[in-house]
Amino acid sequence: NAGVTQTPKFRVLKTGQSMTLLCAQDMNHEYMYWYRQDPGMGLRLIHYSVGEGTTAKGEVPDGYNVSRLKKQNFLLGLESAAPSQTSVYFCASSPNRPSHSNQPQHFGDGTRLSIL
Amino acid sequence: RKEVEQDPGPFNVPEGATVAFNCTYSNSASQSFFWYRQDCRKEPKLLMSVYSSGNEDGRFTAQLNRASQYISLLIRDSKLSDSATYLCVVKGWDGNKLVFGAGTILRVKS
């Protein structure tokens, strides 16, 4: 039972390069989220999805794109990486709307991304 | 003003101590509240939900004060293994998202 799996776990990019982070969950969850975490800032929501084929902007969406072509996968893309995007990225999933009746969000291990 | 605010700490306490963290939230319509724990360089994990009447899970007690819009977490008989960052989390205004505080660092020392 893998839960939420993120790939890659570490990556170093040069400014201007592009890359895609993959999040996969095997729990048949409807909702998926991408966060970034920076020192002193806590987790900030980048984009999220409430179901296959749907995406929505979070708090800090600029410079990122996402796709949810399959229910189990949520991809985060950086088209032209910038040093300000150096961060730890977490993916999370939940069965449906966060509530007390279910585990609100299950998180992946994180991806540490450095942009030089 | 941030939607969820926490004292960043760090709180340095000896083993066996009782320690309390507070968190304030700005959206009076928020309905669901949680405490998450995050170990260094690890993913956040749910510690406990926070219910209106207050709730306890072993050494951990969570309280909610809707009138003042704050949430608290009390840890009794602190263990070395309690050292972590504690994240206050509030369900967002549209119901689809969670809003995370920046976290409070706890260091328990022997």
Side-chain angles (χ1 to χ4, degrees):
Chain A
N1 185 3
V4 179
T5 303
Q6 292 183 230
T7 52
K9 299 221 181 310
F10 305 93
R11 186 73 184 268
V12 178
L13 292 177
K14 294 181 180 178
T15 297
Q17 286 185 314
S18 63
M19 80 161 294
T20 300
L21 280 63
L22 171 64
C23 176
Q25 52 93 6
D26 61 2
M27 298 172 282
N28 201 35
H29 284 176
E30 290 293 334
Y31 285 44
M32 297 187 74
Y33 308 81
W34 274 108
Y35 296 91
R36 60 177 289 174
Q37 187 173 36
D38 302 293
M41 302 289 291
L43 286 155
R44 292 184 292 169
L45 184 64
I46 304 171
H47 288 278
Y48 67 102
S49 168
V50 301
E52 181 179 316
T54 70
T55 63
K57 293 180 180 179
E59 181 186 354
V60 288
D62 294 341
Y64 305 94
N65 56 74
V66 287
S67 64
R68 183 97 182 270
L69 298 179
K70 292 183 179 180
K71 186 177 183 178
Q72 63 267 34
N73 296 335
F74 194 29
L75 279 64
L76 178 70
L78 286 73
E79 289 186 349
S80 180
S84 60
Q85 294 177 304
T86 293
S87 188
V88 180
Y89 291 84
F90 285 103
C91 175
S93 72
S94 63
N96 41 47
R97 280 187 160 201
S99 73
H100 288 155
S101 61
N102 58 59
Q103 162 88 287
Q105 289 186 2
H106 300 250
F107 282 83
D109 293 343
T111 296
R112 282 162 179 77
L113 186 61
S114 293
I115 316 296
L116 304 178
Chain B
R1 181 187 173 187
K2 291 181 181 178
E3 268 192 81
V4 179
E5 298 206 59
Q6 297 181 250
D7 180 343
F11 285 63
N12 296 300
V13 303
E15 274 187 291
T18 295
V19 62
F21 309 137
N22 286 334
C23 160
T24 58
Y25 61 95
S26 60
N27 184 358
S28 59
S30 296
Q31 293 296 317
S32 300
F33 310 89
F34 311 90
W35 283 101
Y36 272 70
R37 169 192 169 127
Q38 186 174 24
D39 293 298
C40 188
R41 302 177 71 81
K42 298 283 191 180
E43 76 277 18
K45 293 184 178 177
L46 178 67
L47 178 66
M48 60 195 302
S49 298
V50 185
Y51 297 99
S52 297
S53 55
N55 49 296
E56 191 174 300
D57 183 0
R59 297 182 292 110
F60 299 84
T61 300
Q63 296 279 354
L64 169 64
N65 184 321
R66 285 189 185 274
S68 301
Q69 293 180 216
Y70 82 77
I71 307 151
S72 65
L73 177 68
L74 182 78
I75 305 175
R76 291 181 299 278
D77 188 23
S78 299
K79 312 290 185 192
L80 293 175
S81 57
D82 293 334
S83 297
T85 297
Y86 290 84
L87 305 174
C88 176
V89 184
V90 175
K91 187 172 174 179
W93 62 270
D94 70 350
N96 290 328
K97 307 186 289 289
L98 296 179
V99 181
F100 288 77
T104 298
I105 298 169
L106 172 65
R107 296 179 185 145
V108 182
K109 299 182 185 296
S110 59

